[in-house]
Amino acid sequence: MIVPIGKFSLSLTGENSHTVNISAGQGGFSIAPKKMGEKADAYVDADTPIQWTAFNGLEIPAGGNWPRGFYYIGNDSSFIEWSKRHEIENFVWKLLAPASVDFTNAQIRHLSVHNNGFEFSIKLDNTYLRSVVLGGNPDKITIESAMGVKNITFGIETDKKSNEPVVLPHFPALKDIERIEISMPIIGQAFDCGSLLQFKQLKSVTLWGSLCNFEALAQMPQLTAIGVRYCPDMTGFPPLSTWKDLNYFIVWNAEELTGKRLKEELKEVNKTHSFEYASVSQLRKKTWFATEYNIPFTNWEGKNGREAMKAYKAALKAIKKAKDEKEAKGFLVTLMQVINNLPNIETEERADTAEALQQLAACAPFAIEEEKVQEWFEEYID
């Protein structure tokens, strides 16, 4: 049956337990506990069993199972057994409790599991899987087996207040993987690239966010593809001549000092080496990453947050064009006046404001001493 458009009943937890409203062209379906506060197509408590067979027989107009993809927050893993008889294009699962699961013979094309900080054990002996994403805290993940898996992604959550590099645990089950992707937050703890040396068969490495110990990549001369995106510090990245068989190389939205060096190397290598694709572009100053992704007012709530962010962005736009220190000071004072007029500003919010001023001052076309910016803060902030 072609999936109905509009409202109809689904027996997710009992006979006609849920009325859902599906819009034209909607290919995915989301299930979450209502108390999570996330918008979902159907609300089911985390520990309530789901009758996944309720989706049996529903198809998209072009043919094939509907939904094509699921987004599920909860603890009912019975969808795995169901998927052995029901093909699923994409399944995203976010845990709300520890779990131990076996995806052997599951007919899921693209699987993403977020452990949400809970202990999570998984078997991945499955040649049907085209891609696997494991998100959250990798230290809480145990991969018991992964026969046939050649491509894996780790979406790692970190602690912004820690400076300790993130090290990927030892995963013997992944000894044969050929492609790996590491996704990190842009600001905060950096991923130690030395963690990748455990994977001896790697051909392709894709890295996002805050990274360190690029020197380790020189110990993987077999790499044929390297990608680095949104990286605020590429210090120590090896010369391009390190990889004789490299045919894909991209650096995008990355720190400009190392990026410029790689851009020049790429010009030279291109004279004698042919790439399937190679590009170094959108190079950024380190201050750009801070002002775009580490704005101190990000966690402020309600109207105070909106007003502070608006004032910050206005000051950033203006200070980049400041003609002298006096003019730059004026823009910073304007921001402080906005903060002074907001209600219920406490010590922590004042500390955020001081950090914001230093970020903005670093974006001026000329150098402004940090001590001087601190003096302005103490003079004008209430």
Side-chain angles (χ1 to χ4, degrees), residues 124 149 318:
L124 288 167
V149 174

Side-chain angles (χ1 to χ4, degrees), residues 174-192:
L174 298 179
K175 61 182 178 62
D176 294 327
I177 61 167
E178 297 177 355
R179 298 178 297 281
I180 194 168
E181 182 169 337
I182 303 293
S183 179
M184 295 287 294
I186 294 169
I187 301 297
Q189 288 176 280
F191 174 77
D192 186 340

